[in-house]
Amino acid sequence: MVMNRGTAFRSVVMTALWAMSPAYLPNSVALVVGGGPPIDGGRFWRGARLLGDGKTWRGAIGGFLAGVLLALGLNQVGTRSAGSLPVFPLRAALSLPAGAMLGDLAGSFLKRRIGRERGAPAPVLDQLGFVAGAFALTRLVAPGWFRSTFTAPVTVAALLLTPLLHVVTNALAYVVGLKEVPW
Ligand code: CTP
Ligand code: MG
């Protein structure tokens, strides 16, 4: 396939968004379906909550399931369009959302350790914790797929686009009243 620079750029951005979306969706879904018992059961560790009230079972499980369904749904669309978009093997369909939710939990764990209350902003941690989790777990369970999908340009695009998307979707969630703070 012959590609000019514009086409190549678009294809890198599309691949990054496509491949990352099962890791992006869980956060938004957790925000909508979250609530109920916190994962840490209200426990404290060294004077601060282990995770905090913002990390609930409902949010984590609902977000995970939504991400898995999205990956499986994208597989149907992608196969039909017969393009160059990545197809998610089951392992990746599971590890992207699971890693995202675990990374998000790890981010909150670290936030509590550095004395940030639930909902307080922690730039970088807030935007990239879930990406680090999704990357790490997927590299572990689907290494071949990870390597062939997240080439250097796609990884760079994902790392640049994620904070941007995260900031925009959180601001939107704040505007429509889903979030109490815009981050
Ligand atoms: N949420 C949830 N369960 C999760 C993740 C998120 O219920 N596992 C919901 C909570 O209502 C949470 C909201 O989604 O308040 C926004 O998520 P996030 O910004 O990650 O949580 P914060 O409240 O900001 O808490 P933290 O400071 O720990 O990040
Ligand atoms: Mg937050």
Side-chain angles (χ1 to χ4, degrees), residues 28-138:
S28 314
V29 170
L31 180 59
V32 178
V33 306
I39 294 172
D40 68 7
R43 277 186 279 276
F44 281 73
W45 190 53
R46 297 190 177 182
R49 281 289 292 276
L50 204 56
L51 300 171
D53 283 330
K55 303 294 125 143
T56 68
W57 288 109
R58 233 162 58 200
I61 294 168
F64 165 72
L65 289 178
V68 177
L69 288 179
L70 177 66
L72 299 179
L74 287 177
N75 279 349
Q76 300 305 313
V77 181
T79 317
R80 234 170 281 147
S81 75
S84 51
L85 291 168
V87 172
F88 302 95
L90 186 60
R91 284 157 174 259
L94 296 170
S95 68
L96 287 165
M101 289 281 85
L102 290 172
D104 181 55
L105 295 183
S108 292
F109 176 79
L110 288 175
K111 278 172 78 171
R112 303 299 90 85
R113 305 287 74 74
I114 59 171
R116 303 272 162 104
E117 297 291 329
R118 169 198 178 175
V124 183
L125 259 187
D126 277 340
Q127 292 83 33
L128 290 175
F130 72 97
V131 182
F135 277 3
L137 193 63
T138 304

